[in-house]
Every structure is written in C-alpha cells, then in structure tokens.
Amino acid sequence: LVLVGGINAWNMIDGIDGLASVQAFIALGFLLVIAGSSTPALQASLLALLCAIGAFFLFNLPFRGLRRNRTFLGDAGSMFLGLAIVWHALALSQGATAVISPITALWFVALPVYDVLTTTMRRVLKGRSPLAGDRQHLHHLLQDHGLCIRQTLAVLAVLSLLAGMTGLSCHYAGVSDRLSFTLFGLLGAAYFVGVRHLASALSRIGEKILTPPVDESAADGVRFSVITVCF
C-alpha cells in the first residue's frame, strides 16, 4: 500500500516542470540527514540519487538560460522517484535498524501525500473516478491564481521544506508519534480545506469573467483582469 501510494503520489504531483524532481530532492535530502546514523550503503544510495536529480535540474528547471536544454521525467521517471523515496523511507523507519519512526518519514513527503489524498477524496466526493485528470491540484490552482511556474515551484518548495523541518524538529525533540501524527493530520485537513476553497474562489472569479454584465455593443472595448494575490 505504501509503495503503490508513494509511486502514484509522485506521478500525480508531476504537473509542471521541475515540481516532482524538486519535491524528490527535498525528501531525499531530509532522508540523507537522518541517514547519518544508518548504514554507509544507504547514505551512498541517497547521495547518488541527489546527485542524479541535481544534474537533471540543469535540463528541466524552467529558469532563464536553461530553457533550450530540456528533458522530462515522464511517467517512468516520476514513478521511479516515488519508488526510490518510499524504499529509502521504509529502510530507515522499519526493522531492527530503524533510525526514525514512520511518522517522521511522512513529514518528509508531506506535500505529495497531501496532494494525492486531497485529489482522490475530492474526486470521489464529486462522484468521479479518482484517476480522472483535472486542474485542481494545488500547483495548477496557484498558476490559475496568477503565479508563474517559477513562483509556484518556490511556494511548494518552501511548504515542503517547512514540513520536513517540522518532522526533524519533532524527531530530535522527542515528540511522541501520536502527537506528531495528530499534527500531521490537522495540517492535512487544513490543506484539503484550503485547496477546496481556493478552487471554489477561482471558479467564481472565472464565472464573473466569462459572463460579465456589460452592454453587448461595448463588449469589444472592455477588458477584464483578475487581481493576483500571493498568499
């Protein structure tokens, strides 16, 4: 269940250039920090993955000067990243050699987990297939709200870093798994509500723009704009 969930989480969050790889880089980075007290083999494996993703950034991130050197993860690439991250998280949180609890590992992959759960629940509540594609992921909503790809990547990277640092803080502070999981669940609920409200707000704005109350004879001379609010 965890492996399939992680693979699909990374496949579903791979909606804009650099997002899946940035999220993977952050998750693997936190795992490498924790792996300092684990086996050298796991440390070397995590470091190799981080180096590979770092090189991939040069050919994928939508930054000036890199746009002519483009390549993509595709389904195989994003699914491999999901598999690799979950495998290392399980290796570090299970068995006699575990160095972290499973909930700590969850913090390191919080954003992809929140995204896949929110997307699946929303589609099921609407009576749709959980596998049906749409533009209701947070990264799509932020773009529809006026953010460019680079700004969207930055916002989501900061959210993932904050989640990962929360997990590290709980781990080193000796916070109980029950309390840590409760906090993780509360933030997940807030994410779900926030995404739904953002989608609803954008839908209302879109309806006003598409059906403005103006005189048809003057319609050609009227332009409508959406005020972008970065939160």
Side-chain angles (χ1 to χ4, degrees):
L1 177 62
V2 173
L3 282 171
V4 173
I7 289 170
N8 280 280
W10 248 267
N11 188 38
M12 292 179 71
I13 206 172
D14 186 25
I16 59 176
D17 287 340
L19 181 55
S21 53
V22 167
Q23 294 297 316
F25 191 86
I26 293 172
L28 290 168
F30 280 116
L31 289 174
L32 181 60
V33 172
I34 289 293
S37 56
S38 183
T39 64
L42 272 176
Q43 297 175 35
S45 178
L46 287 166
L47 185 59
L49 284 168
L50 285 169
C51 291
I53 296 173
F56 174 76
F57 285 158
L58 298 176
F59 301 93
N60 179 260
L61 288 182
F63 293 137
R64 186 174 300 174
L66 302 178
R67 294 184 177 182
R68 288 183 294 180
N69 303 324
R70 304 304 297 276
T71 188
F72 303 91
L73 285 175
D75 287 340
S78 60
M79 289 180 177
F80 169 76
L81 287 180
L83 172 64
I85 292 165
V86 173
W87 188 90
H88 285 87
L90 290 174
L92 291 168
S93 64
Q94 303 294 318
T97 58
V99 295
I100 56 172
S101 66
I103 181 57
T104 301
L106 265 181
W107 281 106
F108 300 158
V109 296
L111 199 66
V113 169
Y114 289 158
D115 180 74
V116 71
L117 292 178
T118 296
T119 300
T120 301
M121 291 174 60
R122 174 179 47 76
R123 291 171 181 171
V124 170
L125 290 174
K126 288 185 176 181
R128 301 177 58 199
S129 167
L131 302 179
D134 56 32
R135 284 186 57 84
Q136 298 296 303
H137 296 275
L138 180 57
H139 51 273
H140 289 143
L141 295 176
L142 291 177
Q143 285 184 286
D144 293 341
H145 206 56
L147 273 64
C148 68
I149 291 181
R150 291 188 292 271
Q151 292 169 329
T152 301
L153 282 175
V155 169
L156 298 182
V158 169
L159 291 178
S160 289
L161 286 171
L162 290 174
M165 286 188 288
T166 301
L168 275 182
S169 300
C170 290
H171 172 73
Y172 288 118
V175 175
S176 68
D177 288 350
R178 178 176 297 181
L179 179 58
S180 182
F181 184 74
T182 299
L183 179 59
F184 184 86
L186 290 174
L187 289 177
Y191 181 96
F192 178 79
V193 173
V195 168
R196 292 198 69 181
H197 277 278
L198 181 58
S200 178
L202 288 173
S203 178
R204 290 195 297 270
I205 292 173
E207 290 176 0
K208 292 179 180 179
I209 294 174
L210 292 174
T211 57
V214 296
D215 184 4
E216 292 183 1
S217 62
D220 291 338
V222 178
R223 293 184 178 182
F224 295 87
S225 62
V226 178
I227 298 177
T228 299
V229 180
C230 181
F231 63 94

